[in-house]
Amino acid sequence: MASNLIMLVFLIATCSIVLASDPSPLQDFCVADHSGPVLVNGFACKDAKLAQATDFFFSGLHLPGNTSNPVGSKVTPVNVAQIPGLNTLGISLARADFAPWGVNPPHTHPRATEILTVIEGTLEVGFVTSNPENRLITKVLQKGDVFVFPVNLVHYQRNVGTGNAVVIAALSSQNPGVITVANAVFGSKPAIANDLLAKSFQTDTKTIDWIQSKF
């Protein structure tokens, strides 16, 4: 009985590891049918015979993003929404542009690890470990440097140089998702109760109302 229980625990742990990333493809490719009526975990495949080169193609990553916004950055994603041929392949890409002192605010990717390389500029990056340590691991990167953000950990980037900065990031999911902490907490719809947030952040409801008004 004990041996059976141990085996069951092992199988559950193994399955959890296997299911922690995008499922492996069972054919050469599965071009996403974005307009199809079938709802699955990911996207249903369109007929492989109808696949075209454009299903595996994206143009424009050389173009700078518009950083004229409150945070001074712009992310250009290249995931399954832009390239249908990424469906089931477990990988995607993004470009991020930063004005001087622009930030990509603290956020997480719930379904992906991220590996980032600096193409231009000087960037401060960091991520925070999970509770209870909440340890900040941070480094300043120069052109050509590479940094990894582990899956689902809160992380950020900030341009600390005098000019613009550009990075290219690869992510281990066709659809990594993004949860920007401030947007989720202060900009949810409907809003999280201000007294709950005031207690959580150890401040007053007036301060919370002011922050929520920004989102």
Side-chain angles (χ1 to χ4, degrees), residues 30-137:
C30 171
V31 174
D33 183 2
H34 287 149
S35 60
V38 179
L39 300 179
V40 296
N41 183 22
F43 294 96
C45 311
K46 77 175 186 181
D47 189 338
K49 296 183 181 66
L50 302 178
Q52 304 290 329
T54 52
D55 292 321
F56 304 90
F57 173 78
F58 175 86
S59 180
L61 209 60
H62 64 294
L63 300 173
N66 183 2
T67 58
S68 298
N69 55 62
V71 296
S73 71
K74 173 64 175 178
V75 176
T76 303
V78 186
N79 56 45
V80 70
Q82 289 77 37
I83 302 181
L86 283 176
N87 194 34
T88 77
L89 297 184
I91 193 169
S92 60
L93 197 68
R95 168 180 173 144
D97 291 87
F98 299 83
W101 294 102
V103 302
N104 189 3
H107 62 282
T108 74
H109 300 294
R111 295 178 290 275
T113 293
E114 176 181 349
I115 184 167
L116 170 153
T117 184
V118 179
I119 304 300
E120 178 185 337
T122 302
L123 210 67
E124 175 194 341
V125 300
F127 65 86
V128 181
T129 63
S130 55
N131 297 350
E133 289 86 4
N134 298 128
R135 185 162 66 99
L136 174 62
I137 296 176

Side-chain angles (χ1 to χ4, degrees), residues 2 11 21 23 42-43 90 92 119-120 122 143 162-163 185 202 208 215:
L11 288 173
S21 60
F43 294 96
S92 60
I119 304 300
E120 178 185 337
T122 302
K143 181 178 180 178
T162 56
V185 173
Q202 300 177 40
I208 296 298
F215 296 90

Side-chain angles (χ1 to χ4, degrees), residues 108-109 112-114 127-128 137 147-155:
T108 74
H109 300 294
T113 293
E114 176 181 349
F127 65 86
V128 181
I137 296 176
F147 198 81
V148 173
F149 303 106
V151 61
N152 210 21
L153 292 187
V154 174
H155 60 283

Side-chain angles (χ1 to χ4, degrees), residues 25 28 38 48 94 135 138 152 161 165 187 189 207:
D28 288 345
V38 179
R135 185 162 66 99
T138 184
N152 210 21
K189 294 177 177 56
T207 300

